[in-house]
Amino acid sequence: AQSVTQLGSHVSVSEGALVLLRCNYSSSVPPYLFWYVQYPNQGLQLLLKYTSAATLVKGINGFEAEFKKSETSFHLTKPSAHMSDAAEYFCAALGGGSNYKLTFGKGTLLTVNP
Amino acid sequence: SQTIHQWPATLVQPVGSPLSLECTVEGTSNPNLYWYRQAAGRGLQLLFYSVGIGQISSEVPQNLSASRPQDRQFILSSKKLLLSDSGFYLCAWSVGSLGYGYTFGSGTRLTVV
């Protein structure tokens, strides 16, 4: 079965610093991969997705992620953090047999310090 | 454009009372529909999914049930709520092309007291 691992349940950065949120998936077949963001008491909003096209994917709000098959990773980055980026981020994978079901990581809470 | 509506936004219910949460989708046909629960510190747990009217798949045995009486309507229910049913419930939909991922509703915060 597909599994998604997010390293670090809580990441804290200073405003203007690099944001790096880590995600690894387990599948012998490269799946579709997604990053979602959740602000307090809101639903999940799609940041970006990888669907076997370009390995470097650009999303909204200046975020991007790189698919690395050799590392089974899909890490999320942003060059310069803003206060408004403070939220919880979820990595998810779809595929590898569970065609209808997204498998989510446990989430990473991003804190941005002034 | 497609939209997803979920209500109510917040709900406080006593233990043992019934529950009905509704989710509707507009602007698409024959969507796949999902109910997730998000409990504090436990990430997102898939509860039910449906690929068509009357077709419900349960992911975990529990005190909840789901129904899909119409193509774009998905209902989450319980006959008797437990304290452990408290959490943030999210409805989502997807279309047949897997690469689009899911679109989520705004969620319902359920507190069982």
Side-chain angles (χ1 to χ4, degrees):
Chain A
Q2 182 70 259
S3 69
V4 176
T5 303
Q6 290 183 240
L7 296 176
S9 60
H10 188 192
V11 171
S12 182
V13 301
S14 299
E15 191 173 19
L18 171 71
V19 175
L20 171 61
L21 305 182
R22 300 177 186 274
C23 173
N24 289 88
Y25 66 92
S26 68
S27 174
S28 59
V29 177
Y32 296 115
L33 296 163
F34 307 84
W35 274 100
Y36 286 87
V37 60
Q38 185 182 32
Y39 299 100
N41 290 311
Q42 295 186 25
L44 276 69
Q45 179 184 6
L46 181 66
L47 271 180
L48 50 80
K49 60 185 178 183
Y50 166 76
T51 57
S52 74
T55 57
L56 182 61
V57 180
K58 295 186 183 297
I60 61 172
N61 301 339
F63 284 92
E64 63 181 36
E66 185 173 8
F67 172 73
K68 291 187 176 180
K69 183 178 177 181
S70 61
E71 299 177 6
T72 60
S73 69
F74 190 56
H75 302 331
L76 181 71
T77 61
K78 182 174 181 178
S80 176
H82 295 166
M83 296 296 291
S84 60
D85 294 327
E88 190 156 21
Y89 292 80
F90 291 92
C91 182
L94 192 156
S98 300
N99 288 332
Y100 293 113
K101 297 177 287 183
L102 269 179
T103 300
F104 284 89
K106 292 189 180 297
T108 298
L109 181 64
L110 175 66
T111 302
V112 182
N113 303 308
Chain B
S1 63
Q2 301 95 344
T3 56
I4 179 168
H5 301 281
Q6 194 177 339
W7 67 92
T10 60
L11 192 59
V12 179
Q13 292 284 97
V15 169
S17 64
L19 173 73
S20 180
L21 302 181
E22 188 162 344
C23 172
T24 60
V25 180
E26 295 179 358
T28 187
S29 296
N30 197 30
N32 302 320
L33 296 171
Y34 311 84
W35 278 111
Y36 279 85
R37 177 169 61 198
Q38 191 175 23
R42 295 183 62 182
L44 286 153
Q45 181 185 33
L46 178 62
L47 302 176
F48 301 95
Y49 70 95
S50 171
V51 300
I53 296 174
Q55 300 179 60
I56 308 295
S57 295
S58 174
E59 287 295 294
V60 292
Q62 56 200 329
N63 187 41
L64 302 169
S65 62
S67 62
R68 184 170 178 174
Q70 300 181 44
D71 181 44
R72 289 170 288 180
Q73 184 184 30
F74 204 24
I75 298 171
L76 183 69
S77 304
S78 174
K79 292 182 179 179
K80 290 185 177 182
L81 284 169
L82 306 172
L83 286 174
S84 58
D85 292 323
S86 294
F88 192 51
Y89 289 81
L90 290 160
C91 180
W93 70 272
S94 69
V95 294
S97 177
L98 304 177
Y100 289 104
Y102 292 7
T103 299
F104 284 84
S106 55
T108 295
R109 172 73 60 191
L110 171 66
T111 304
V112 183
V113 296

